[in-house]
Amino acid sequence: MRFAKPVVDFFHNFVLMKRSTRFLPPKKRQDLQQLTSLILEQVKQVEMIVLFGSYAKNSYVDYDQRVEFGTPTYYMSDYDIVILTRKPIGAAEYSLYEKIKDRFFENKNRPFHTHPQFINYGIEDFNYAIEKAHYFETEIKRDGVVLFDSGAYKLARRRKLDYTEIRDRALSYYNEKLACVDDFVIACNSLYKLNRNKRASFQLHQSVENLLRVIPMVFTLYGHKSHNLSELMNAAKKHTTEIFRVFPRDTQEEQRLFDLLQRAYIESRYNPDFEITKEDIDALIPKVEQLRSIVERTCRERIAYYDAQITE
């Protein structure tokens, strides 16, 4: 038996993290400086503080107010911040976050000021996740902005994974997402029996979303964070075009069913005028089953390919 060669075509291995927030407006930079100071004041053994998410990518929404389904709503992006400590914070983690937030919001209009959200890792745990190609931590390193660095540690470089590691990671993602789909289908069936079609349609949307998301996760070890089914289908079509047989959208009725499923993510919960009939649910359930069959076969074939590379 020959050892499988490492695979090198998934990601660039070297990432130079950004260390400046000058691309953000002055008030945002001041907020981040204050949050950094408060974290260092409240949390022990901080080694790095990293801004990630929409503010790091400069794709944030500062404030968006609109009327949706007759109800005034507003949306703003959060400051997403990862705190890397020598060891995980532990039981006091969330009480420390609340102290930091309370101090941060002093003399601010809390409901309408950008909110910080924190997550914590021990530095060794975070580096292990990067080495093992966990996509969330890899994305933080790739897109994040360093707000504080003690200089005592360096973030790991993602190793070139061998096929055993790729297979194990892909299989883990596959099993996790398919278990989620099982739960959503169970919930859908229960709601369907109670004639709660709107709530059942949300569960169907979530089933399809997770089925579409798992395809690129198995093929590239990276997941696309979107609830938009069209976007997820476009991401998955690089690996299989069979998914378009499930939702062809080539007739008015097929387009209507797809639009209902797409809208169900938000409108089934928030729009009192959203309507979906029992007949619509009856038409969508077989589509979800067909999609699951395609996803299972496609992903299992890819995982079998990884197995074959291991044994060569």
Side-chain angles (χ1 to χ4, degrees):
M1 178 186 299
R2 293 189 292 111
F3 291 104
K5 294 181 180 179
V7 172
V8 298
D9 60 345
F10 278 174
F11 293 91
H12 295 293
N13 201 27
F14 180 74
V15 177
L16 185 64
M17 292 190 71
K18 298 188 291 287
R19 292 179 175 267
S20 173
T21 58
R22 289 183 180 177
F23 59 90
L24 294 174
K27 288 185 178 179
K28 301 297 181 182
R29 299 202 302 267
Q30 291 170 10
D31 279 351
L32 293 169
Q33 289 169 0
Q34 182 185 9
L35 286 166
T36 299
S37 297
L38 289 170
I39 292 167
L40 294 173
E41 177 185 313
Q42 295 291 331
V43 182
K44 297 179 180 179
Q45 298 182 334
V46 176
E47 301 300 340
M48 295 184 75
I49 301 171
V50 180
L51 176 73
F52 68 99
S54 61
Y55 272 94
K57 298 175 185 177
N58 201 18
S59 61
Y60 63 92
V61 176
D62 191 17
Y63 185 82
D64 180 23
Q65 184 170 355
R66 62 184 66 184
V67 176
E68 292 184 330
F69 319 123
T71 303
T73 62
Y74 72 90
Y75 173 79
M76 62 177 69
S77 300
D78 295 326
Y79 295 130
D80 295 307
I81 295 173
V82 60
I83 305 169
L84 302 178
T85 47
R86 201 168 304 169
K87 300 292 182 183
I89 293 173
E93 180 178 357
Y94 295 103
S95 62
L96 287 174
Y97 295 164
E98 288 306 310
K99 287 181 182 178
I100 293 168
K101 290 179 182 180
D102 287 343
R103 291 279 302 279
F104 175 69
F105 285 119
E106 287 178 1
N107 303 315
K108 295 183 177 73
N109 187 355
R110 185 166 186 155
F112 300 100
H113 197 94
T114 305
H115 283 232
Q117 299 294 334
F118 307 107
I119 57 174
N120 168 247
Y121 291 83
I123 188 74
E124 292 181 359
D125 294 335
F126 190 77
N127 276 338
Y128 178 83
I130 292 175
E131 290 178 351
K132 290 293 185 179
H134 293 200
Y135 72 86
F136 178 65
E137 291 81 4
T138 301
E139 185 176 74
I140 290 175
K141 182 183 177 185
R142 185 188 65 200
D143 298 328
V145 182
V146 178
L147 303 177
F148 169 80
D149 185 355
S150 71
Y153 292 85
K154 291 184 178 180
L155 292 186
R157 294 177 66 182
R158 174 175 171 153
R159 291 188 298 102
K160 296 181 178 71
L161 303 183
D162 62 36
Y163 276 108
T164 299
E165 293 171 307
I166 293 169
R167 188 272 316 277
D168 291 348
R169 177 56 41 196
L171 187 59
S172 174
Y173 288 148
Y174 174 79
N175 289 334
E176 177 189 1
K177 287 299 176 190
L178 268 292
C180 288
V181 172
D182 287 339
D183 291 342
F184 289 126
V185 169
I186 290 169
C188 174
N189 289 335
S190 298
L191 291 163
Y192 175 80
K193 291 176 183 176
L194 296 171
N195 294 317
R196 299 182 64 178
N197 298 325
K198 286 171 65 171
R199 299 300 184 191
S201 69
F202 173 78
Q203 307 300 328
L204 285 178
H205 178 284
Q206 289 293 277
S207 299
V208 172
E209 177 185 319
N210 279 272
L211 287 168
L212 292 173
R213 284 187 67 194
V214 76
I215 295 173
M217 292 174 79
V218 166
F219 277 77
T220 70
L221 307 188
Y222 185 81
H224 294 263
K225 300 179 180 68
S226 176
H227 302 293
N228 185 298
L229 301 184
S230 292
E231 291 179 6
L232 292 172
M233 288 180 73
N234 285 334
K237 73 179 181 182
K238 301 173 185 176
H239 312 294
T240 176
T241 58
E242 285 191 83
I243 53 176
F244 291 98
R245 289 174 15 203
V246 183
F247 299 108
R249 291 180 275 177
D250 54 354
T251 67
Q252 187 175 359
E253 177 62 10
E254 286 290 350
Q255 184 66 53
R256 186 187 71 85
L257 286 170
F258 183 81
D259 289 344
L260 272 177
L261 188 62
Q262 179 84 284
R263 291 166 53 204
Y265 176 70
I266 293 177
E267 295 191 40
S268 66
R269 295 174 292 165
Y270 302 119
N271 183 2
D273 297 322
F274 179 70
E275 293 184 1
I276 186 166
T277 66
K278 179 180 182 297
E279 289 73 22
D280 293 329
I281 300 294
D282 288 339
L284 286 168
I285 286 175
K287 289 180 174 293
V288 176
E289 293 171 349
Q290 182 186 4
L291 179 63
R292 178 171 185 148
S293 177
I294 291 169
V295 170
E296 287 183 342
R297 184 177 69 255
T298 300
C299 291
R300 286 173 177 170
E301 287 175 356
R302 186 63 178 181
I303 292 167
Y305 165 80
Y306 297 147
D307 279 326
Q309 302 310 305
I310 294 168
T311 55
E312 281 188 1

